[in-house]
Amino acid sequence: MHAMKNFKRIFFIIGLGAFLWSSCTEDIPVREESPAADPESMQVYFPNSQKYKYELPPTVFEVDIDLKREKSAKAATVKIIVTSDLTGVFTVPETVSFAAGDSTAKLTITFDTLEQFKPYQISFKIEDQYINPYVVNPDGTTDFNLYVEHNDFLPVGNGKGQFYDSFTLASVADVSITYSEKKDVYRISNPYTLALLEEAEWGNWIGGPISENIEIQITSEGKVTWEFWYLGLNYQGVSGYPIKAYFPSVLDESLAALDDKSVKLQDKLFKLHPYFYIDGLGGFGADYPVFISLPGGPNLNELLAQ
């Protein structure tokens, strides 16, 4: 009887092993090989240098997008595929053509009249047969997101002004200054750059959000107002704690008395007193003035050297 039990146990183990083996062999997926890249592909791409965000006057209804290719011997027509268009205001050509020997071509995107100060987006890509999907191109991408906005910002004078933030910067920044009659605001563009922040030796504080534009209003009494802007700095280098330059009463109504410190000093010259603050932590006060010289105004380098 004992031998019979052992015999049955051996058959059970053999049967279980066969079942498990067959189950494993049936469950192993067979990987299909990825399709090979076309060796004749021209390696077409949108260069990293291509601008993707446009703010245009309401009289402009098209933008040109550059494409490049690595193999340029032959003339070729490349297909463009729209991947996302939620607004329906854009027209994207289905193809773009390269002349023989040319490594660059232009894709002209047209659009309707847009609601002012509202960004519109469209996304498109190069058809797969003209690219190598298995190679990362450090010079560009095969997908493109385009943003277009109509507004009435126009250059003030020659558009060339100056900006100096005594809290953040070590030297005067040359900036573009435009004005919107519809919004009645002045826009100071790119007052903070990586080079300027590094020059000021902020070290690992550099890397916070940065405002591409600062928009200010100038009242008939010569007062200057705004909401806040970002400097490009994180407090003590900690992500999530950016330093902001607030209009004092926007930060807190109890600081309204400081608002009057932001004024017109003379023709085309303004002094602002932001309250530099880190939300949830505290701030540095409003004792560090910011100077803005509009186009045609005094030279800040000479003025600050006095």
Side-chain angles (χ1 to χ4, degrees):
M1 181 65 69
H2 182 72
M4 180 62 69
K5 287 183 179 179
N6 288 339
F7 185 71
K8 288 181 178 179
R9 185 178 300 165
I10 292 171
F11 266 90
F12 173 76
I13 293 172
I14 293 173
L16 179 61
F19 171 76
L20 293 175
W21 180 84
S22 63
S23 298
C24 291
T25 56
E26 290 175 2
D27 291 342
I28 296 175
V30 178
R31 187 184 72 83
E32 295 182 2
E33 290 189 7
S34 301
D38 184 353
E40 299 300 318
S41 170
M42 297 176 291
Q43 306 300 303
V44 183
Y45 61 95
F46 299 103
N48 292 330
S49 58
Q50 172 59 52
K51 183 178 178 179
Y52 67 92
K53 184 178 180 181
Y54 290 82
E55 293 188 12
L56 304 168
T59 54
V60 176
F61 302 100
E62 66 179 39
V63 294
D64 287 334
I65 306 298
D66 284 344
L67 289 91
K68 289 183 175 292
R69 59 177 179 167
E70 295 182 4
K71 298 179 181 180
S72 58
K74 301 178 181 178
T77 298
V78 173
K79 188 172 182 179
I80 303 297
I81 300 173
V82 174
T83 55
S84 177
D85 180 12
L86 301 179
T87 62
V89 300
F90 294 96
T91 299
V92 180
E94 293 184 354
T95 61
V96 61
S97 296
F98 289 87
D102 284 351
S103 60
T104 301
K106 289 189 181 296
L107 178 70
T108 300
I109 311 294
T110 60
F111 41 88
D112 304 329
T113 298
L114 309 178
E115 179 182 341
Q116 289 194 35
F117 302 102
K118 176 182 176 181
Y120 291 76
Q121 177 186 357
I122 188 169
S123 302
F124 43 88
K125 70 175 186 177
I126 300 161
E127 191 175 50
D128 289 348
Q129 73 181 83
Y130 307 105
I131 67 174
N132 185 341
Y134 311 117
V135 175
V136 176
N137 186 344
D139 298 321
T141 178
T142 58
D143 298 82
F144 197 83
N145 297 316
L146 173 66
Y147 300 85
V148 178
E149 176 184 313
H150 271 163
N151 62 51
D152 69 337
F153 276 102
L154 295 173
V156 176
N158 64 6
K160 299 178 181 179
Q162 291 180 310
F163 176 92
Y164 177 67
D165 171 353
S166 64
F167 174 79
T168 311
L169 304 179
S171 60
V172 173
D174 294 320
V175 294
S176 297
I177 299 182
T178 54
Y179 174 74
S180 166
E181 184 175 357
K182 188 171 183 177
K183 292 181 70 175
D184 188 26
V185 300
Y186 289 85
R187 175 180 281 178
I188 297 91
S189 296
N190 299 311
Y192 302 98
T193 64
L194 178 59
L196 287 170
L197 296 176
E198 289 178 341
E199 178 193 34
E201 299 182 346
W202 281 102
N204 70 340
W205 289 42
I206 299 173
I210 191 167
S211 291
E212 182 179 347
N213 300 301
I214 296 173
E215 294 186 359
I216 62 172
Q217 283 189 306
I218 302 171
T219 70
S220 57
E221 295 82 18
K223 304 293 185 180
V224 184
T225 66
W226 68 97
E227 291 187 3
F228 70 86
W229 70 77
Y230 290 103
L231 318 178
L233 302 176
N234 282 321
Y235 179 66
Q236 294 188 345
V238 179
S239 179
Y241 290 100
I243 303 177
K244 299 179 181 179
Y246 278 100
F247 188 64
S249 62
V250 170
L251 175 60
D252 193 290
E253 291 183 0
S254 66
L255 301 173
L258 298 173
D259 292 350
D260 292 338
K261 297 178 70 175
S262 297
V263 295
K264 177 179 180 179
L265 294 178
Q266 64 184 69
D267 185 38
K268 301 180 181 179
L269 177 64
F270 299 86
K271 181 174 71 169
L272 284 58
H273 276 271
Y275 201 106
F276 293 97
Y277 194 79
I278 306 97
D279 291 345
L281 290 183
F284 300 93
D287 297 325
Y288 302 91
V290 171
F291 296 91
I292 298 173
S293 180
L294 299 183
N299 187 312
L300 289 184
N301 290 299
E302 297 175 357
L303 191 68
L304 296 172
Q306 296 177 2

